[in-house]
Amino acid sequence: MGETMGKLRRTHMCGNLRTDNIGEEVILMGWVQKRRDLGGLIFVDLRDTTGIVQIVFDKDVSKEAFDKADTIRSEYVLAVRGKVEKRQSVNKNIPTGEIEVFVEELKILDEAETPPIYIKDDDDVSEAMRLKYRYLDLRKPLMQRNLKIRHKTAKVVREFLDENNFVEIETPMLTKPTPEGARDYLVPSRVNPGKFYALPQSPQIMKQLLMVSGMDRYYQIVKCFRDEDLRANRQPEFTQIDLEMSFVDVDDVIELNEKLIYKIFKEIKGIEIDLPIKRMSYNEAMERYGTDKPDLRFGFELKNITDIVKNSQFKVFSGTIKNGGEVRGINIKGYADNFSRKDISKLENYARTYGAKGLAWIKINNDGISSPIAKFLGEEELNKIIERMDGEAGDLLLFVADKQSVVFDSLGHLRIEVAKQLDIIDEDDYKLVWVVDFPLFEYDEEEDRYVAKHHPFTHPVDEDIELLETEPEKVRAKAYDIVINGDEIGGGSIRINNSELQKRMFKALGFSMEEARNKFGFLLDAFKYGTPPHGGIAYGFDRLIMLLTGSDNIRDVIAFPKTQNATSLLTDAPSEVSIEQLEELHIKLDD
Amino acid sequence: MGETMGKLRRTHMCGNLRTDNIGEEVILMGWVQKRRDLGGLIFVDLRDTTGIVQIVFDKDVSKEAFDKADTIRSEYVLAVRGKVEKRQSVNKNIPTGEIEVFVEELKILDEAETPPIYIKDDDDVSEAMRLKYRYLDLRKPLMQRNLKIRHKTAKVVREFLDENNFVEIETPMLTKPTPEGARDYLVPSRVNPGKFYALPQSPQIMKQLLMVSGMDRYYQIVKCFRDEDLRANRQPEFTQIDLEMSFVDVDDVIELNEKLIYKIFKEIKGIEIDLPIKRMSYNEAMERYGTDKPDLRFGFELKNITDIVKNSQFKVFSGTIKNGGEVRGINIKGYADNFSRKDISKLENYARTYGAKGLAWIKINNDGISSPIAKFLGEEELNKIIERMDGEAGDLLLFVADKQSVVFDSLGHLRIEVAKQLDIIDEDDYKLVWVVDFPLFEYDEEEDRYVAKHHPFTHPVDEDIELLETEPEKVRAKAYDIVINGDEIGGGSIRINNSELQKRMFKALGFSMEEARNKFGFLLDAFKYGTPPHGGIAYGFDRLIMLLTGSDNIRDVIAFPKTQNATSLLTDAPSEVSIEQLEELHIKLDD
């Protein structure tokens, strides 16, 4: 039922043996990937975290080992001592394929039942099974690779920040519940009846306090928590690379972070990205891509035709505009033939999921156009539209008429969907862009007031400060997001370090100073005793690792993730607890 | 109310300027530590995270800067551009004391109210004030130094483990409540009504699963949580350096960790510790020091005189022994004259706090002995005792008669208390020892059964396995603690990787397999599919940093600690939350 290693101590890792090792005696330990019996020999693929090597049991080398080997099955754990020899039938598919190890001594360290999932990357078992048997799923080479890339990325980040005089400082996990924003996970306090800690949504306030403390440069790779309904690729606990710097403005933060991003791509992907990274204003990103997370790997940019069609006979266009809406389109350049009416109808359904009421289209053929809306448009109008859209034979033009947010959202997603359907996105291409000059405020229709687009400590762009009271919607923020291939990988801002300006900000947000004090008391107190200019950024570490590993499932880059129902299929968390435990915490279940 | 930096960008850090910089134009940013006006000049000590430099405002250099400087007060935040010059009156106390900077341009980046605590290490304000104004307290050089040592230690640990093929893997913070051991912090689940997550007390089970996963070598510097009544130097959340290795036995783990410890001491303290580190069995540690955390920096070792006095006329001794107790003593060698009867009486009171009913003593003078118990002892008995205690003129012998646990506990603490009173402990001396061969079980009198001294997965010493059913109290564990100067800095064990042995272990603990399955279900399942021999260790990172910084208060090595009441005086966490929030979590307050 399992032998001990005895005096055997591992000398080599399975995946590292090469022809250089021929003739050496080695001691290997690992799992049985596969066993084959052939010509009186037993061949075993032995696997450890570095890879696979073929070991051979031969009666003539060791009868004892051979006989014992006859009992082994998949996933048994072995320790073997043997000699590396040149392999007769070379296997070009694995790095160790030119050698094999003839076993002189075998210890079966543990037996194994037949595993409920296969230990191979192309196993197509359900994700539920993968998560339930995560300890087996993690044996797969791809998962081992993903976790190692995650480790290496953290290492590269730390090395870079260490070299740049950042100090890694741990901020508390048991924090104060926050007054607004996403939902907190709460933790009842036993020694303070009726009171609760919150798990941090981010270390934002603590890192600003560290700047007030004169720590100068802070970083942390840290768990954060949000109790939100989980969409795909969200987890209740997620990891941020969080950093903050004193005595900086936007360019300082961006320049340092570009070097960091350069280093990550260089060391993890072997790619040298171009510096400086392109910057694009929020407005430009919205106008051209319909989103503040533009994917620049392909075209199909948005064009505004509102001015052309505002008096159109086509009431779907002109009526929408009269009601305050607008009309924009994208040109699927050169791919008109790829989309039948039925395909376009499917695209329309896709656009509807983002709120569009319909999708108007014009196909430009060599011999004229086909379009269900052409008959409503005058010839001049049609020509102007085609000109604006840069339309030529072979193009498919798609239009949405609606209020601006719907136009952006639906066309922004549509251009990506079309590119995916056409399979024209180069997965090995990385297009990076800083999106800057975000609006400082956005109007919250529910609350009928302006709210901070980032957070209420975000510094306005200097020349816009005078507009705070008069035209708040025009005030831009010293905020920046780094967007890679359409994903926001990180974002941050310069913070207000001046009480006067902070007061004006709160006023613009409709907070009295008393409300502000209730919400942010200790931070406002801290700002009274000399606050340096400061700013920072936080990266979504899980998302970054997805990008670097080419994973499209966040659960493939986290060792022990939760489902979309926020449960662990492995440990069965969350679970019920005893009445006594609840009593100690001064709470009871609400029934 | 605060200027912007404008085009000024920091070129140097305050504390780094030296005579080499004389003649250079520099731009510095920092806080006003002190301002003095002297001979028509304004002198300011400007402070940043690297230290202090003197800057000088001289009308003749810049009238504008001089006039502005006239308004500045302590803790104002400044940006200055100026020229480094040789200082007339050298200050040998600070590294920048040979230079000063004549300011050509000044920007006041933020003003400051008078801070409620002084920004200097020897401020003797209450700890409550320090914690409330933590962002000011952290400005003190000592706190900045402590956090930097913490950072650097984490860095050294990571570098070492990276080089040794460990993979840093994050384990979940939202885990399954544990069935026994210390109290969990619980987190109610919103989407799973009536169910709770627990914050991890340690990643123990997850790291064992990672070994089952074939990750081979895992580490993490990670927050852990225990909701226990806080003693001094305990925090509700604390940090562990946690690691686990596959295909290892005790010596492998110890040897690797000795190299790690060596590197930490070398890089942080500049001390080269001797390797291998001494090992001492649990039994020897208890016999000689009365504790499994022996401080080896001084003597006063325990000696057993039970055999000598078991038939003594002195009934306090012989009576105790008859009732199953024992008598041991320590020799305060050469310090008899330091302790008056009154002093010894105080020591007795100290011993009582550890359960001792009294403290017998013998003082050996040049001209005989003085002792309140001598008259009850025969001369031969007395001589034997003195011989056993290695007693000579000038020695003070102290004895406790009680059941073994009280004798060990009281004498163990007493020898430390005496050494502290005598001030003979060299704070720059580091005595390291591995305590090994712990008993696998300890008897729990309340539960009237054996419980695992470490945890139920700890592997027994191989040659003791046969005693599991017959003499469990004699079975030693493959467990090891690293003890430095009387503090347990880390501990770990080799784990059972064999189902058969695990079953015998559970049986010895009095669990049915069904109970075991309820408690540890998914781990036992995992062990069915091929488990490598594995073991690891966890270090108390806060405690290690206390040792390396020479702090005797855990709150001095944590940026934002909690009080013994588990509250944050800074943020006021924990705090009340709204009824709506509780309703969402399906709980209500227990009133």
Side-chain angles (χ1 to χ4, degrees), chain A residues 1 9-10 139 150 170 173-174 176 196-197 212 216 237 239 252 498 530-531 562 566 571 575, chain B residues 1 9-10 110 139 150 170 173-174 176 196-197 212 216 237 239 252 498 530 562 566 571 575:
Chain A
M1 266 312 293
R9 282 297 170 279
R10 183 166 66 183
R139 289 184 186 173
R150 187 173 177 117
E170 297 168 61
M173 291 284 116
L174 295 172
K176 188 183 165 72
F196 293 79
Y197 305 97
V212 175
D216 208 76
E237 58 182 289
T239 304
D252 306 296
N498 170 313
T531 306
K562 300 221 165 41
T571 65
S575 60
Chain B
M1 267 316 294
R9 282 295 171 281
R10 184 166 64 181
D110 198 23
R139 289 184 185 173
R150 188 175 175 114
E170 296 168 61
M173 291 281 116
L174 295 171
K176 186 183 166 70
F196 293 80
Y197 304 97
V212 175
D216 207 73
E237 58 182 288
T239 305
D252 306 295
N498 171 311
K562 300 221 166 41
T571 65
S575 61

Side-chain angles (χ1 to χ4, degrees), chain A residues 307-582:
Chain A
D307 58 320
I308 301 173
V309 299
K310 66 170 183 275
N311 296 314
S312 179
Q313 294 299 308
F314 185 46
K315 295 301 174 196
V316 171
F317 284 179
S318 55
T320 299
I321 295 166
K322 269 196 195 77
N323 288 323
E326 53 184 37
V327 185
R328 296 178 194 250
I330 55 178
N331 180 350
I332 312 305
K333 193 147 216 45
Y335 291 104
D337 291 346
N338 295 58
F339 294 90
S340 66
R341 273 169 189 263
K342 202 173 149 196
D343 294 332
I344 296 173
S345 179
K346 280 186 190 159
L347 292 180
E348 181 167 33
N349 284 337
Y350 182 82
R352 283 186 208 275
T353 64
Y354 293 94
K357 290 180 209 67
L359 189 66
W361 58 271
I362 301 171
K363 216 183 235 193
I364 310 176
N365 308 313
N366 284 323
D367 55 351
I369 66 163
S370 59
S371 166
I373 66 167
K375 57 178 177 280
F376 304 109
L377 301 168
E379 194 179 332
E380 194 191 332
E381 199 176 13
L382 190 60
N383 286 339
K384 274 189 184 165
I385 290 172
I386 289 173
E387 190 189 346
R388 174 72 53 85
M389 296 304 294
D390 188 25
E392 314 172 289
D395 293 355
L396 169 65
L397 313 182
L398 303 171
F399 302 93
V400 172
D402 216 306
K403 64 179 179 182
Q404 192 185 60
S405 59
V406 171
V407 174
F408 281 153
D409 206 26
S410 54
L411 284 179
H413 281 95
L414 197 59
R415 69 178 277 278
I416 297 169
E417 174 63 21
V418 169
K420 279 186 186 161
Q421 288 187 13
L422 291 169
D423 197 18
I424 57 170
I425 303 176
D426 178 0
E427 295 296 340
D428 295 325
D429 186 19
Y430 295 91
K431 286 278 190 285
L432 294 83
V433 58
W434 288 105
V435 177
V436 297
D437 288 341
F438 283 84
L440 187 62
F441 302 103
E442 60 188 358
Y443 197 75
D444 185 317
E445 295 188 5
E446 259 179 56
E447 298 205 23
D448 189 27
R449 65 174 177 95
Y450 284 102
V451 295
K453 192 167 169 75
H454 280 73
H455 58 69
F457 308 105
T458 307
H459 201 295
V461 167
D462 295 326
E463 57 265 38
D464 295 354
I465 292 177
E466 60 184 35
L467 304 175
L468 266 176
E469 288 80 14
T470 51
E471 296 179 279
E473 71 283 0
K474 286 200 181 157
V475 180
R476 291 164 299 167
K478 288 190 178 177
Y480 31 80
D481 281 356
I482 179 74
V483 174
I484 307 180
N485 292 355
D487 271 329
E488 182 214 320
I489 298 297
S493 66
I494 301 298
R495 332 296 181 181
I496 296 172
N497 78 313
N498 170 313
S499 316
E500 192 70 28
L501 183 58
Q502 188 66 61
K503 278 182 195 159
R504 290 171 66 187
M505 180 74 180
F506 283 137
K507 207 169 164 192
L509 289 168
F511 295 166
S512 68
M513 269 317 281
E514 199 189 326
E515 281 174 291
R517 186 156 301 284
N518 281 339
K519 283 177 202 285
F520 308 107
F522 60 95
L523 184 58
L524 298 183
D525 282 341
F527 283 170
K528 292 192 297 198
Y529 304 107
T531 306
H534 62 288
I537 195 169
Y539 295 88
F541 189 57
D542 307 297
R543 206 158 281 273
L544 176 64
I545 304 305
M546 285 172 68
L547 185 85
L548 296 173
T549 56
S551 304
D552 56 9
N553 181 343
I554 195 171
R555 292 178 288 277
D556 283 350
V557 298
I558 296 175
F560 301 108
K562 300 221 165 41
T563 63
Q564 281 194 225
N565 198 29
T567 59
S568 165
L569 298 180
L570 169 66
T571 65
D572 204 31
S575 60
E576 286 166 11
V577 297
S578 70
I579 298 286
E580 291 74 27
Q581 279 174 286
L582 297 183

